[in-house]
Amino acid sequence: MKTVDLTPNQEHIVDVLIKKNPNLDRRVLRNAVAFIADAHDGQYRKSGMPYTEHPFEVAKILAELKQDQPTVLAGLLHDVVEDTQHTLVEIAEEFGEETAFMVDAVTKITAAQEHNKTAQKAETYRKLITAMAKDPRVIMIKIADRIHNMRTMRYMKPEKRRSIAQETLDIYVPLTHRFGLYKLKTELEDLSFKYVNPDEYQKIVDALIENKEKREKYVQSVIGPLQIKMALEDFDCTIQGRTKNIYSIYNKMISRDCQFEDIFDIFAIRIIVETIPECYLALGYVHNLWTPMQSRFKDYIATPKPNLYQSIHTTVIGPENKMVEVQIRTKDMDLTAEKGFAAHWAYKMETQHEGEELAWLDHMVKLQSEISDSKEYLDFLKVDLKPEGMTVFTPKGASIELPEGSTVLDFAFAIHTELGLHCIGARINEEVVSLDKVVTHGATIQVLKSPSQEPSPEWLDIVKTVKAKQELRRWMKTSIIQQSRSLGKEIWTRELRLAKVEKDKRPSEDEIRKYFGTLSMDDFYERVGQGELPLQDIHRFITGGSSLPKEMALRFFPTFGSDKKAVPEEMPLQIGQETSLVIHFADCCAPLPGDAIVGILRPKIGIEVHNRACTNLKNFPAEQQIAVAWSADVSKPFMTHLTIDTDNRKNITLDVLEQLKGSDVSLDRMSVASAQSTGRIRMEFKAFRTEQVDSIITKIKQISGVREVSKA
């Protein structure tokens, strides 16, 4: 490699990189700086600065993170292939195959072109995740690139700034968290927040400035007693106080629905010690000094986060009865918390955690290959990269990583698809919980299953992880096809019997397929079961186009009034106990066993069951209606909605609840609203029969102050 001449400014760049990472090779860096200066000659950024400012700054970030020579070189060269005439072959010859690989990976990612913007983004991130899995150093270049772009984004148009800032919050902030780069994470959060919600950002900045003196005084009122306590115990440690970043404070305001002045824990006290035993000793001293809040204690030393973060978090009631968060960690843990496990990287990742910290990458590569839809893939990234991740355990001690807010059902699917499909709940700390129970970091979970359990559509609202949603959709798609065919065959047989077509005169399968344009009888039954073939068309085919006598037509297309009952000749389809994905109960009238009911054949849905008194039936033509009846084995509860209009009387809600006692119903949800003289109570509960609900309504109507009670 030849020696090159550099300008004083370029020499300064090399000096800065060497200072930040003394392990870098000065001669190679000088050649790389000269190379990009020539390659980007005449190119300028929107700020008016020479384009080389950007790769220089990216390389500085990487050097400060102690990244190796090929990574820092790739940071310097990352835009060369995309924005200049130079090729990867030249880069490989000049700076090595490793550097060329990373430049190639980043170039392919940023240069991915698609006609559809959503598809373009999805393809870009697919390539990013794939490249990261092959060589994790690629993402360090992307993060450094994004950091500098965010720092200089004020020169872009407002709408572009907002778009990039939101993307940063959705994708790059979670990535920095995954890699444990907390210092860069908080910077990215605040820079993004500044452009996504500038008004709220400025309010918090102003409040922090206004309260700075008061806040610093309070921090000292916490640190002072701590220092005295540690000195009295002859305990050697470093105590620091820091204000949490702006975006973190904003999220606290949102989650607690309060104003800035109501947030007491906007700062954290950090105690840094030498060894792990000293962490627990320090914890004891802190709890001796102030009362801890048990609900806000987290031990990330015993259960590290997936990105290797370790620390003890405890919240205590400090001076002036204000909440104070205290973090306790060793010096090594503090280094990892600030710079992530990137601080430990040599390329081969030869650490005691080798392979563990990047297992999520393999998981993501596997899952993304199963998601073809671009929008679904982008949604998957936003959930699966979510920074608030946690680790939970199987009874055998295997760790499972899940996004914050995941449920028992997510955990079951994360272990095995079959376990998820048949999950009925779980045992956590000897307590049996339901499948929609949200799990917490560090919990040990034993999944409970039953061979008879099958998923329902509501499960899609319970799960948070994309894997669980994928498996549920896959199962439901298969089950809907099977159930549609079974229902379609039942409807077809019923119509043949209603029309009194003798078996030897029934149309052949070839005639059926030809008339309805289906490829097979399964296809025909599926379309019938999903409500895509109107009964009128089926009748026209069966009778050869002739019309039915009036009495037959009434039996075939029964008229459903509130005083009508299904007659035996209608041969109603039985609505049974089993879970069905092609038989649904209408929300508008919420029919219950004991109600007279009617089915509506709806395309792509199947049969929608209504109460015969439902006013919405007038919106459906007669040929969509089909006779249905409750089967004798129905014993499960159904959701019921009651609206109760009342006087605005004290304790009337308690009187209403009193009437539910002993009624064998399960209250799911209740809301109360009141005006000056009136009130309204809405209740959702599960009941077994309509007579049961009628009895409850009668009791509620007798309560003083109740004006009206109505179903649904």
Side-chain angles (χ1 to χ4, degrees):
M1 190 175 285
K2 62 183 179 180
T3 303
V4 295
D5 294 326
L6 300 182
T7 66
N9 186 53
Q10 292 167 347
E11 288 284 8
H12 175 69
I13 291 293
V14 174
D15 290 339
V16 169
L17 294 176
I18 295 291
K19 184 177 180 181
K20 291 183 179 295
N21 185 355
N23 293 323
L24 298 175
D25 187 313
R26 177 178 292 274
R27 185 171 65 89
V28 177
L29 286 179
R30 294 181 82 256
N31 279 280
V33 167
F35 187 91
I36 64 168
D38 177 68
H40 292 293
D41 186 37
Q43 296 179 354
Y44 295 89
R45 306 196 82 211
K46 290 186 181 296
S47 63
M49 294 291 291
Y51 190 83
T52 49
E53 176 203 38
H54 174 62
F56 288 159
E57 292 298 324
V58 169
K60 281 166 61 177
I61 294 169
L62 293 169
E64 189 171 4
L65 289 169
K66 302 297 184 283
Q67 294 299 288
D68 61 11
Q69 182 87 22
T71 309
V72 175
L73 288 175
L76 282 168
L77 300 160
H78 75 276
D79 281 334
V80 168
V81 175
E82 185 176 343
D83 294 339
T84 77
Q85 299 301 312
H86 291 282
T87 66
L88 285 169
V89 174
E90 292 178 72
I91 291 176
E93 289 175 350
E94 286 284 329
F95 305 104
E97 294 289 345
E98 282 186 60
T99 298
F101 171 83
M102 285 186 276
V103 172
D104 182 32
V106 177
T107 301
K108 287 180 180 177
I109 293 163
T110 56
Q113 295 298 318
E114 296 283 346
H115 295 298
N116 181 289
K117 284 190 175 181
T118 301
Q120 178 185 353
K121 272 191 176 182
E123 184 62 20
T124 296
Y125 288 127
R126 284 182 196 276
K127 291 181 177 180
L128 175 60
I129 299 299
T130 302
M132 284 164 55
K134 291 179 180 177
D135 189 336
R137 294 176 297 178
V138 170
I139 193 55
M140 304 308 296
I141 300 166
K142 288 298 294 180
I143 290 173
D145 175 57
R146 180 55 59 114
I147 279 281
H148 184 249
N149 281 333
M150 292 296 296
R151 288 173 180 171
T152 57
M153 205 161 61
R154 62 186 178 277
Y155 300 104
M156 305 185 77
K157 293 180 180 179
E159 60 272 19
K160 187 69 173 176
R161 291 200 299 252
R162 279 192 296 272
S163 173
I164 293 174
Q166 189 60 58
E167 178 189 42
T168 302
L169 284 176
D170 290 340
I171 306 296
Y172 287 92
V173 164
L175 278 172
T176 56
H177 181 93
R178 287 278 192 170
F179 283 89
L181 303 166
Y182 287 99
K183 189 174 181 181
L184 297 184
K185 172 179 176 278
T186 54
E187 182 180 359
L188 279 179
E189 283 179 333
D190 287 352
L191 286 170
S192 300
F193 181 45
K194 178 180 179 181
Y195 295 116
V196 168
N197 197 336
D199 293 339
E200 289 299 323
Y201 174 87
Q202 195 58 49
K203 283 181 186 177
I204 296 174
V205 169
D206 293 343
L208 285 171
I209 294 172
E210 183 180 343
N211 290 275
K212 183 179 180 182
E213 186 176 339
K214 181 180 177 182
R215 187 172 64 256
E216 289 178 347
K217 184 178 179 182
Y218 185 78
V219 168
Q220 287 307 311
S221 76
V222 176
I223 290 179
L226 262 179
Q227 289 174 327
I228 293 171
K229 174 69 174 175
M230 299 307 182
L232 289 173
E233 300 291 347
D234 195 24
F235 186 76
D236 188 23
C237 65
T238 302
I239 303 174
Q240 305 168 343
R242 65 173 185 86
T243 301
K244 295 183 177 179
N245 66 305
I246 297 168
Y247 187 63
S248 173
I249 294 170
Y250 174 74
N251 281 333
K252 287 180 182 292
M253 291 166 57
I254 295 299
S255 63
R256 299 177 191 176
D257 192 23
C258 63
Q259 299 301 311
F260 176 87
E261 51 271 16
D262 300 318
I263 302 286
F264 296 123
D265 54 339
I266 62 172
F267 56 85
I269 302 299
R270 186 173 296 162
I271 300 175
I272 301 173
V273 297
E274 290 290 338
T275 67
I276 290 177
E278 287 177 344
C279 290
Y280 292 98
L281 194 56
L283 176 68
Y285 293 148
V286 172
H287 287 180
N288 283 161
L289 200 56
W290 294 299
T291 303
M293 297 178 66
Q294 297 298 335
S295 62
R296 300 186 65 176
F297 174 79
K298 293 179 180 177
D299 187 348
Y300 293 117
I301 294 179
T303 311
K305 290 187 177 183
N307 58 14
L308 306 189
Y309 177 86
Q310 288 184 287
S311 186
I312 293 174
H313 290 195
T314 184
T315 298
V316 297
I317 306 300
E320 301 176 29
N321 287 323
K322 294 180 180 179
M323 290 188 296
V324 178
E325 182 185 312
V326 181
Q327 300 170 357
I328 306 170
R329 61 181 67 149
T330 66
K331 289 179 180 178
D332 284 345
M333 292 174 190
D334 194 52
L335 174 64
T336 300
E338 288 300 312
K339 296 188 177 181
F341 60 75
H344 300 290
W345 276 5
Y347 172 51
K348 297 300 181 183
M349 306 278 295
E350 293 173 352
T351 73
Q352 59 179 337
H353 302 279
E354 183 176 355
E356 295 175 13
E357 62 273 15
L358 295 178
W360 61 275
L361 266 179
D362 294 331
H363 166 77
M364 292 194 75
V365 171
K366 181 178 181 295
L367 280 183
Q368 76 174 16
S369 66
E370 300 173 6
I371 307 173
S372 56
D373 181 77
S374 296
K375 185 179 183 304
E376 185 179 348
Y377 177 70
L378 292 175
D379 291 339
F380 152 71
L381 284 181
K382 292 175 186 178
V383 172
D384 225 62
L385 283 175
K386 196 175 179 182
E388 295 82 15
M390 59 183 172
T391 302
V392 290
F393 299 92
T394 68
K396 293 183 178 180
S399 62
I400 303 291
E401 186 186 347
L402 294 171
E404 192 80 19
S406 295
T407 62
V408 163
L409 198 52
D410 287 298
F411 176 78
F413 274 106
I415 296 173
H416 195 279
T417 298
E418 285 301 308
L419 194 59
L421 294 174
H422 301 294
C423 174
I424 58 173
R427 185 176 282 108
I428 302 177
N429 299 329
E430 301 307 315
E431 179 187 358
V432 175
V433 298
S434 61
L435 51 77
D436 61 350
K437 173 75 173 179
V438 175
V439 299
T440 56
H441 177 80
T444 297
I445 306 167
Q446 178 187 356
V447 176
L448 305 176
K449 65 175 183 176
S450 169
S452 61
Q453 174 77 306
E454 286 192 342
S456 67
E458 292 76 21
W459 284 20
L460 284 169
D461 297 324
I462 293 174
V463 296
K464 298 290 184 291
T465 58
V466 173
K467 181 183 190 304
K469 288 183 185 293
Q470 276 184 305
E471 297 298 344
L472 280 172
R473 289 193 185 106
R474 186 178 291 119
W475 181 89
M476 287 179 186
K477 184 177 180 180
T478 302
S479 298
I480 285 172
I481 291 173
Q482 293 171 346
Q483 292 181 22
S484 296
R485 289 172 180 173
S486 177
L487 178 62
K489 190 171 185 177
E490 188 177 352
I491 292 173
W492 170 247
T493 303
R494 169 187 178 275
E495 303 311 326
L496 288 172
R497 291 172 61 195
L498 278 170
K500 297 183 178 178
V501 179
E502 297 177 12
K503 285 189 177 181
D504 60 344
K505 294 182 179 179
R506 291 181 179 180
S508 68
E509 292 186 0
D510 285 343
E511 290 172 325
I512 294 170
R513 291 198 302 269
K514 184 175 180 181
Y515 184 89
F516 290 101
T518 59
L519 298 175
S520 64
M521 286 303 294
D522 280 344
D523 185 27
F524 168 70
Y525 291 141
E526 186 180 333
R527 292 184 63 191
V528 173
Q530 291 205 24
E532 294 181 22
L533 296 179
L535 294 179
Q536 195 172 32
D537 290 354
I538 293 174
H539 163 254
R540 189 177 294 115
F541 169 67
I542 291 174
T543 61
S546 64
S547 59
L548 286 173
K550 183 178 180 181
E551 63 274 13
M552 182 69 177
L554 287 174
R555 193 162 67 239
F556 197 78
F557 303 127
T559 56
F560 297 105
S562 60
D563 58 342
K564 302 281 184 178
K565 297 289 183 182
V567 295
E569 289 84 352
E570 291 175 355
M571 290 186 287
L573 295 172
Q574 298 296 299
I575 303 300
Q577 177 73 14
E578 72 283 350
T579 300
S580 176
L581 298 171
V582 291
I583 297 177
H584 311 272
F585 297 91
D587 291 331
C588 54
C589 54
L592 288 168
D595 288 333
I597 53 176
V598 58
I600 304 296
L601 276 169
R602 301 193 62 183
K604 301 294 184 183
I605 293 176
I607 294 179
E608 186 175 78
V609 181
H610 287 255
N611 190 308
R612 287 195 184 190
C614 181
T615 57
N616 284 332
L617 287 177
K618 65 179 182 294
N619 299 324
F620 301 102
E623 57 265 26
Q624 280 187 258
Q625 300 181 1
I626 187 168
V628 295
W630 298 105
S631 65
D633 67 348
V634 177
S635 60
K636 69 176 181 179
F638 288 77
M639 189 62 73
T640 300
H641 306 258
L642 290 187
T643 299
I644 307 165
D645 290 321
T646 70
D647 296 335
N648 191 1
R649 175 174 71 78
K650 186 178 180 181
N651 292 331
I652 195 168
T653 303
L654 294 176
D655 293 342
V656 169
L657 287 172
E658 189 67 29
Q659 296 306 317
L660 292 183
K661 283 186 177 180
S663 298
D664 195 25
V665 298
S666 173
L667 182 64
D668 273 37
R669 191 175 290 108
M670 183 175 185
S671 65
V672 180
S674 61
Q676 189 171 2
S677 61
T678 63
R680 172 165 286 179
I681 301 171
R682 287 190 171 90
M683 307 172 68
E684 294 180 25
F685 58 87
K686 289 178 180 175
F688 292 90
R689 293 192 61 80
T690 189
E691 295 86 358
Q692 185 184 19
V693 177
D694 290 342
S695 174
I696 292 170
I697 290 174
T698 300
K699 292 177 182 178
I700 292 175
K701 283 182 175 179
Q702 294 171 358
I703 298 172
S704 173
V706 171
R707 300 182 178 186
E708 185 180 353
V709 184
S710 57
K711 284 185 185 180

